[in-house]
Each structure stands twice: as structure tokens, then as C-alpha cells.
Amino acid sequence: MIAILQPLVPHYREHFFNRLREQAPFDLYCYSGAKALRQQHLAAGRTSVKPLPAWNIGPFVLYNPLRFFKSDYKVLVLMLNFAHLSTWLILLLKPFLKQKVILWGHGISVKRYVQEEQQPSRPLKWMMQLADATWFYTPREMELWQRVMPGLNAVALNNTISEVERIIQQPAPDKALLRKKYGITGSRVLIYCARFNETGRRIDLLLKLIAETDPAAYNFIIIGAGKYKPAFNEYPHVHDFGAVYDTATKQELFGLADLYFQPGWIGLSAVEAMAYGKPVCTFKRSEAVLQCVEYSYIRDGYNGLIFKNMDECLYILDTLSDEEIAAMGRQARCFVEDNLTMTAMVNNAAHSLHAMDQ
């Protein structure tokens, strides 16, 4: 028996759990409920879960570990998060419990990435030393840790989204027809699709780009909601669609766009954009511009563009040819097909779980 712990299951994660369950049956425990999903502007995934009592004390989480102790679980997949106090207890008692523990997480703080890639977190290192294996979201963070901990038993799942295989199989859309349908007149269309729930997304840079581009030449498609969302009413070349969960509408909006643009805190939205064949445009990771771990999927000039500053961004967007955009778009979709399918992510996890039985 296997138990997996997560705070909640959003829609973009449901296929992972549902398909993994077919290869390695498990119980999925969640310590946050529907209220947390609403607060984060997430749609709930259709996955059966078991509620787990938990208490939050500032950044720390204390969940009920007895649920795992009293059951016949041989493998526990817990979160690689040093603020999970109950996980420390389980790791310390592991020799007596005769359970194997896999820790699953980013392996690095998004907010402290620049510092931690030079000096990784000591508490996370201690956790991994106590565990039997570690699941990382991407190869980049796994490689960072394997340099620090040679011989670390680790797997990079290659984090992706539920609908990715459906998206990459869609035929090329009639871009001109879709632009006419939605009243898009600009010769170059940029799309943004992410929640406005995090200041690290650097919406100020999005607004600056909108303000400094010619409305006759550029149009912007905005998908997303959240407490930090600004008003786009004053910009005639911005088309704001709010939160969109209808796959047909989202497919059309991505279909009519040329480029995906998100200044900072870019994560799984990069996977979605590349699956739709859109080069991903963002800014270079720094202490001022934070990026999630999926940022490592972007290869500058190959499947996206990474700008050093706004001046460079404006210059490149103005001089970029349609042929260059099309080539990067094809390479973006191929990158997803080769590396970021849900089948690959599920298989990576399943192989690790099966290895725990040996």
C-alpha cells in the first residue's frame, strides 16, 4: 500500500494522480479543502482524496501522522517541505516504522532561488538524507542536489499539466479566422494566461510593455483572475477574458496568438503555452524577477525568449520575424512532445514507486 500527501488537488494535476493510480494504487490524502482552492483561484481536480486533519501555525504545518502509522502503508510520498513538522517526525521514526519515504518537491525556494542554487537549503538536505528517495519537479534542481549529495536516490518527474497530450494533438488553427471572430486587429498578438495571485509575476512589467507598444501593431490577450489583477480598461489593445476554464475557448485564444508573454513567476503556464506551439517570452531570473522551476524548460532563442531588460524586450519583439516565431513555436511543441507528456511524468513516478518494493 502507498499513501501520498498533498495540500490539495487542482485541475491541472488530476490526470497525473488518476493515471498513476492505474499503475501503482495509492491513497491520496489532502490537508487543505475547497476553501483553499477558491482562495488560490483554482478549479478542483476530479480525483478521489481522503481528508487529513492539519493545523497551520504561521508557515508550519502539523498534520495527523497517526493515519499513516495505523495503516499498512509500505511507502509514503510526503512533501519536501521543511515546514511540515509531522514529516520530520515520520522521518525520524522511519527505522522503527519500517516504512519507506519518498519526498516530493521543488528542492529549492522560488523566492531564494538565486542564493540557494549556490548554497542549497541545509534543512532540505537533512530531510533528503533521512528519506529513501526524492522526487524533483525538473532535472535542473535534481542536478543541483546531486552535485551536493553524490549518490542521491532521485527522480526528475518532468512536471507537466493534465491536458498536455490533448493540446499537442490539435491541428493548426486558422489564425486569421479566429482573430476576426474575437475582433483582434494587431499584427502581433501576445497572450498572458496565469493567475494574478502572486506579486512575483511582475504585472508591473506586463503593464509597462502594454503601455509602450503601438496599439495598432500589438494586441494582448489576458486570461486569469486574482487579487492582484489590475484594470486593463484604459488600454484599447488589451482583450481581457478573465478566468477561462472552457478548453475550447482557451484553445481558440491560444490559437490566434503569436507569442506567450509572462514577465515573472513562470511555472506550468510555460508548458501549456509551448504545447499550443507558442514561444514563451519572459525575463531573466534574478533577485528582482523570480521564476518557478519550470523556467528551466525555456531555451532562449529555441522555444522562447528570455529578456535581460525591458529595452531589449521591446527591441526584440519589434525586430522578430514571423518566420522566427513560427520556428520557435514548432520547437516549443516538439520540446513538450519529447520531454513533458503526462505519460512520461506518470511513468517516472511509477518506476520510482515500483523500485521501493525491491
Side-chain angles (χ1 to χ4, degrees):
M1 287 289 289
I2 300 165
I4 299 179
L5 176 68
Q6 289 284 283
L8 42 80
V9 180
H11 65 286
Y12 58 79
R13 190 64 76 211
E14 66 176 292
H15 287 186
F16 171 74
F17 288 119
N18 292 343
R19 290 176 59 179
L20 180 61
R21 199 173 251 138
E22 295 171 1
Q23 295 193 39
F26 58 84
D27 290 333
L28 178 58
Y29 289 89
C30 291
Y31 59 83
S32 295
K35 182 179 178 182
L37 283 163
R38 289 193 299 271
Q39 288 175 339
Q40 297 182 45
H41 296 275
L42 290 168
R46 290 168 292 182
T47 303
S48 61
V49 303
K50 295 177 180 289
L52 184 68
W55 300 267
N56 292 84
I57 309 161
F60 299 101
V61 176
L62 187 67
Y63 57 83
N64 182 8
L66 296 178
R67 191 70 60 88
F68 302 133
F69 296 162
K70 292 180 179 179
S71 300
D72 295 327
Y73 297 121
K74 293 183 179 179
V75 180
L76 305 178
V77 182
L78 307 177
M79 298 177 70
L80 180 58
N81 186 330
F82 61 76
H84 282 205
L85 302 179
S86 303
T87 300
W88 284 104
L89 178 64
I90 293 171
L91 288 169
L92 292 169
L93 293 176
K94 189 167 69 70
F96 308 102
L97 300 172
K98 296 181 180 180
Q99 292 173 315
K100 292 185 178 179
V101 176
I102 298 172
L103 297 176
W104 179 14
H106 295 113
I108 197 165
S109 166
V110 174
K111 294 182 178 179
R112 298 184 297 277
Y113 199 106
V114 175
Q115 296 89 346
E116 288 189 10
E117 68 180 335
Q118 301 301 320
Q119 187 164 358
S121 164
R122 198 167 291 173
L124 291 186
K125 180 179 180 181
W126 294 335
M127 291 187 89
M128 286 186 277
Q129 287 173 330
L130 291 169
D132 296 282
T134 305
W135 289 355
F136 292 98
Y137 278 46
T138 80
R140 163 75 174 158
E141 290 71 40
M142 183 179 73
E143 291 162 6
L144 285 173
W145 274 107
Q146 287 180 327
R147 289 203 292 267
V148 176
M149 301 172 66
L152 175 68
N153 183 13
V155 173
L157 297 188
N158 273 357
N159 198 35
T160 192
I161 58 173
S162 288
E163 295 291 325
V164 68
E165 279 147 324
R166 178 194 62 79
I167 295 171
I168 59 178
Q169 291 167 3
Q170 297 302 312
D174 186 329
K175 190 177 287 188
L177 190 66
L178 289 173
R179 290 186 179 184
K180 183 178 180 181
K181 175 180 177 179
Y182 287 97
I184 307 296
T185 57
S187 55
R188 178 99 3 123
V189 181
L190 281 68
I191 186 169
Y192 169 99
C193 181
R195 290 170 291 147
F196 292 88
N197 65 331
E198 172 58 58
T199 56
R201 295 200 195 278
R202 293 302 306 269
I203 305 308
D204 59 314
L205 293 175
L206 173 62
L207 291 173
K208 186 174 176 62
L209 179 65
I210 291 170
E212 296 195 16
T213 48
D214 179 2
Y218 287 87
N219 278 183
F220 292 83
I221 301 292
I222 304 294
I223 300 175
K227 62 181 179 180
Y228 296 118
K229 183 172 183 175
F232 292 103
N233 308 14
E234 63 181 285
Y235 304 107
H237 54 316
V238 174
H239 303 258
D240 181 9
F241 290 85
V244 176
Y245 295 108
D246 176 65
T247 55
T249 301
K250 186 179 278 191
Q251 183 177 319
E252 289 186 341
L253 295 176
F254 270 94
L256 64 81
D258 299 302
L259 299 160
Y260 181 80
F261 180 79
Q262 185 179 324
W265 206 272
I266 198 157
L268 283 171
S269 51
V271 178
E272 182 176 38
M274 286 194 281
Y276 278 114
K278 306 304 163 184
V280 178
C281 303
T282 190
F283 287 90
K284 185 178 180 181
R285 174 188 276 137
S286 66
E287 292 185 0
V289 178
L290 306 177
Q291 300 287 7
C292 300
V293 294
E294 292 82 7
Y295 170 82
S296 63
Y297 296 155
I298 308 168
R299 298 178 182 175
D300 186 33
Y302 178 75
N303 58 13
L305 295 165
I306 299 175
F307 309 117
K308 296 184 182 69
N309 51 52
M310 184 58 71
D311 287 341
E312 183 183 69
C313 172
L314 289 163
Y315 174 77
I316 291 176
L317 291 180
D318 280 343
T319 56
L320 202 60
S321 69
D322 292 341
E323 291 74 22
E324 288 172 314
I325 293 174
M328 285 192 291
R330 288 191 297 270
Q331 286 150 189
R333 181 170 282 184
C334 287
F335 181 84
V336 172
E337 193 168 7
D338 293 343
N339 302 280
L340 301 176
T341 63
M342 184 55 68
T343 298
M345 184 179 178
V346 169
N347 287 343
N348 289 337
H351 291 160
S352 177
L353 289 171
H354 292 151
M356 291 291 105
D357 289 334
Q358 298 175 3

